[in-house]
Amino acid sequence: MKRRSVSSSKIQTVAYDTEQKMLEIEFRQHEVYRYRHVPLTVFHLLMAARSKGKFFVDNIKNQYPFSRVA
């Protein structure tokens, strides 16, 4: 997955794998989490969101299974 830098006070980079429907988020504290079963539309909405941190909390956190990578 290719990570993209984003403008956010909480999130540093975001990556998405369309085949696996996996969203990877690297937070500013350098923690990396992978969220499974995330629809492509949710990824697009995250990338378009004015506040990516708020969108994450409202629409991704506790909504999809996840694992910590680093």
Side-chain angles (χ1 to χ4, degrees), residues 21-65:
K21 294 185 178 181
M22 184 177 303
L23 177 67
E24 185 175 278
I25 298 179
E26 177 186 10
F27 293 91
R28 292 282 172 197
Q29 300 85 0
H30 302 290
E31 296 174 327
V32 178
Y33 288 85
R34 288 187 180 153
Y35 296 85
R36 298 180 304 282
H37 312 298
V38 179
L40 181 60
T41 54
V42 172
F43 167 69
H44 286 303
L45 290 169
L46 170 65
M47 296 305 284
R50 183 175 201 162
S51 172
K52 289 169 181 46
K54 180 169 176 20
F55 184 89
F56 167 77
V57 169
D58 292 346
N59 300 283
I60 299 170
K61 185 177 182 180
N62 300 322
Q63 301 294 318
Y64 299 97

